[in-house]
Amino acid sequence: MSLIVFPAIDLKAGQVVRLAEGDMDRATVYGDDPAAQALLFAEAGAGHLHVVDLDGAFAGGSVNGEAVKAIVEAFPGYVQLGGGIRNREAIERWFDFGVARVVIGTAALENPELVREAASDFPGGIVVAVDARDGMVATKGWADVSDVSIVDMARRFEDAGVAALLFTDVGRDGLLKGCNVEATVDLARATDIPVIASGGVAGIGDIRMLAIHAKDGIEGVITGRALYDGRLDLAAALAVAAL
């Protein structure tokens, strides 16, 4: 089984940024043309892209909508979008515009029926974000931490028809500490839903380890800062993930 590599484009005030541990005050700007960045990833061989409206995650609704639309128009592959998607109207709007998958986090915890209905109506299109601080689900742009464990959260949707779980270890995100492979594999083994790994990817070693565990239910990996900082070559990552 091959692993999908999702280069990440995180949007803040229309710019391409990366945060450290989800902290909006610890943002590094990598560019002011998100569509151009999407094209660069496509030229390197990426067929999938993970886009996050960071401002939207905190605001609870689309903030960087124009930048997202520009990315979707420019990128020839599949775009997965998260950040502030918390109602049916927003879900439908992005599918209508051409987004392949939408990621639902806060609303999945607070309104699970929304996820169930959307997963039924848009087969293969709904991803549930399971963002964790110390094993507990974090919401609202990771600003709040719930009393729900990530495994309990995941199991709530096993019969809902969601396409995947997006697991992020918030404490590692944007810090290049290395992906929490052990926790990702544990989650994949604990549920029947494919898992996408995110947070802390530092280099090709993380891609290789996750690819080894694709058979355990790991569908893909999201990587951002390692690409932008030149610590990870996208073409090399895609080659390792395809083995």
Side-chain angles (χ1 to χ4, degrees), residues 37-61:
Q37 182 62 63
L39 276 176
L40 288 175
F41 285 143
E43 290 167 1
H48 298 75
L49 200 62
H50 180 72
V51 180
V52 181
D53 182 347
L54 293 171
D55 299 299
F58 285 90

Side-chain angles (χ1 to χ4, degrees), residues 117-172:
E117 291 175 358
S120 176
D121 293 343
F122 302 99
I126 303 298
V127 175
V128 171
V130 186
D131 303 328
R133 285 192 189 274
D134 300 320
M136 309 306 284
V137 176
T139 63
K140 294 182 174 66
W142 302 343
D144 295 343
V145 179
S146 72
D147 58 358
V148 179
S149 77
I150 57 171
V151 172
D152 287 344
M153 176 75 165
R155 287 176 173 166
R156 292 179 182 184
F157 298 103
E158 282 198 318
D159 62 348
V162 301
L165 301 171
L166 171 52
F167 171 64
T168 304
D169 184 337
V170 177
R172 296 183 183 226

Side-chain angles (χ1 to χ4, degrees), residues 50-141:
H50 180 72
V51 180
V52 181
D53 182 347
L54 293 171
D55 299 299
F58 285 90
S62 177
V63 175
N64 289 285
E66 293 306 312
V68 174
K69 290 176 183 178
I71 289 169
V72 173
E73 290 176 346
F75 189 71
Y78 298 90
V79 175
Q80 177 173 282
L81 173 68
I85 302 173
R86 298 179 191 169
N87 57 54
R88 178 67 179 225
E89 180 184 6
I91 293 169
E92 292 181 354
R93 182 172 65 249
W94 287 118
F95 280 134
D96 287 345
F97 197 80
V99 168
R101 283 176 169 180
V102 298
V103 180
I104 302 175
T106 298
L109 184 66
E110 298 179 347
N111 185 9
E113 194 57 34
L114 171 69
V115 173
R116 293 180 175 279
E117 291 175 358
S120 176
D121 293 343
F122 302 99
I126 303 298
V127 175
V128 171
V130 186
D131 303 328
R133 285 192 189 274
D134 300 320
M136 309 306 284
V137 176
T139 63
K140 294 182 174 66

